[in-house]
Amino acid sequence: MSDTPPRPLPRHPGVLRRMTTRGREEEHRTATPLELFFDLCFVVAVAQAGRQLVHALAEGHPGHGIQGYAMVFFAVWWAWMNFTWFSSAYDTDDVLYRVVTLVQIAGVLVLAAGIPRAFDAGDYRAVWFGYLVMRLAMVSQWLRAAFSARGAERRTALRYALGVFLCQVGWLGLLFLPAHAKAWLFLGMAVCEMAVPVWAEHGQPTGWHPHHIAERYGLFTIIVLGETVSAATVAVQSAVDEHRGLGTLLPIAAGGLLIIFAAYWIYFAVPIHLRLISNQQAFLWGYGHYLVFGSAAAIGAGIEVAIEEATGKAHIATFPASACVTEAAALFMLTVWLIHSRHQKRGPVQQSVLPVSAALVLACTFAGRLAVLAAGCVAAVTVVVGVTLTARRNAADRRETASGRETASGS
């Protein structure tokens, strides 16, 4: 007989399990295939929002485009947030859980289909209905969690269910209020939505997992940046096919690629899960990703606008077209520094790298047709400087540790 222990059988989802909290100390907690599929489907809506932003900016309507993009992107991002934090705490991976998650995916696809009408005609019916499907599915998940829980944990789950439901009722104003009032409704409802987790978790936090949450946010950042690369590539290909102006487009394509590569490097330069030790820290970090994700997607939209302007298809000048890229890139850098990387930096030099780089990227707007390429070069230099400073800090730490050991052994 062999002493080798038997290999565990593959895990198959049961039809129905008791929905209990996963716990923050669980080992080997990673993203599941269902969560990755969920993210990929949500990026469809992100791509639709970016496409409509491109059209609005290229037509010279930045106010309308940015407002519409902010509203639609919030709906997509917040629905993704709701599921991400819930799944980190209560993922049972049984059949019912999977089916309800797939219903949420269907809802975001309906929302994505309604984005063009929301932008062009202010018609939010499809967007609202898609959101309704997602939010009712989320309410059912929280009610299921409440049914399996007791005491304070049950109260937290019921608060979530009630808060999500009431907020969805509040969004009905998008269907009935006049156009000029919808922006104010959005601001009020966004505050209410973000207040629900703070209220629900008061007294009894859910068991979200720090490493799992950090991984989920990182994966969604990668997917959004990938969509940005895809959108920019299609724009370059279309422009080359129609105008064959490769010399004009190459600086924009090269600069845009450098910005996207630098965005990836900057975001993943530091581990963040060790800092997510309380709800206050995690909420500020999680909410701040509205700007991280939104600006990452907007970089791709800005590159498309810059390409359309360079080929004569946009109804705006070079300066505002360049600003579409540089402002989005600078916002990404500054937000990542503010909520993410500054906690791992030591000393004024390291702390100042990203804020200074964001200012320099904005200054590149004045570089005319070379603005995107100049911004890409600044982003690349930012990465080089950051890597160099980190390497020097690590070398100094090793020398200090070695010196301490020598002193201890000598004494």
Side-chain angles (χ1 to χ4, degrees), residues 132-306:
L132 174 67
V133 172
M134 289 187 289
R135 305 310 294 285
L136 289 182
M138 196 72 258
V139 169
S140 72
Q141 295 277 44
W142 280 115
L143 289 176
R144 184 184 171 193
F147 180 79
S148 301
R150 294 292 182 272
E153 182 184 347
R154 183 172 187 269
R155 182 165 58 251
T156 296
L158 289 174
R159 283 179 174 180
Y160 265 113
L162 178 62
V164 171
F165 177 78
L166 291 178
C167 284
Q168 183 59 36
V169 173
W171 287 112
L172 274 170
L174 289 176
L175 306 184
F176 303 108
L177 290 177
H180 68 271
K182 291 180 179 179
W184 293 108
L185 173 71
F186 163 75
L187 289 175
M189 289 308 305
V191 172
C192 291
E193 289 277 11
M194 290 187 289
V196 169
V198 178
W199 168 63
E201 304 221 5
H202 181 70
Q204 179 62 41
T206 54
W208 51 267
H209 194 283
H211 188 279
H212 178 250
I213 285 292
E215 182 188 21
R216 295 282 285 112
Y217 273 73
L219 290 172
F220 198 68
T221 301
I222 291 174
I223 293 173
V224 171
L225 289 175
E227 168 56 32
T228 297
V229 172
S230 175
T233 301
V234 171
V236 171
Q237 178 187 349
S238 300
V240 170
D241 290 343
E242 294 179 13
H243 299 276
R244 303 184 184 276
L246 188 59
T248 303
L249 299 175
L250 190 58
I252 300 175
L257 200 60
L258 286 174
I259 291 172
I260 295 168
F261 287 172
Y264 158 80
W265 198 296
I266 290 168
Y267 185 89
F268 290 99
V270 298
I272 196 64
H273 65 277
L274 296 177
R275 180 169 172 77
L276 304 181
I277 58 177
S278 70
N279 274 6
Q280 181 180 4
Q281 292 168 325
F283 284 168
L284 290 174
W285 179 82
Y287 288 178
H289 272 72
Y290 171 65
L291 295 177
V292 173
F293 294 151
S295 59
I299 290 172
I303 294 171
E304 290 188 67
V305 173

Side-chain angles (χ1 to χ4, degrees), residues 75-157:
V76 177
W77 165 76
W78 190 249
W80 179 87
M81 280 263 295
N82 286 171
F83 172 77
T84 296
W85 290 82
F86 176 86
S87 66
S88 188
Y90 287 104
D91 179 12
T92 59
D93 197 36
D94 58 13
V95 170
L96 180 58
Y97 177 87
R98 292 187 178 189
V99 169
V100 175
T101 302
L102 294 176
V103 170
Q104 289 180 268
I105 292 175
V108 77
L109 296 179
V110 173
L111 183 150
I115 288 176
R117 289 191 61 82
F119 262 84
D120 297 338
D123 183 355
Y124 285 90
R125 285 178 295 180
V127 169
W128 184 87
F129 181 74
Y131 207 51
L132 174 67
V133 172
M134 289 187 289
R135 305 310 294 285
L136 289 182
M138 196 72 258
V139 169
S140 72
Q141 295 277 44
W142 280 115
L143 289 176
R144 184 184 171 193
F147 180 79
S148 301
R150 294 292 182 272
E153 182 184 347
R154 183 172 187 269
R155 182 165 58 251
T156 296

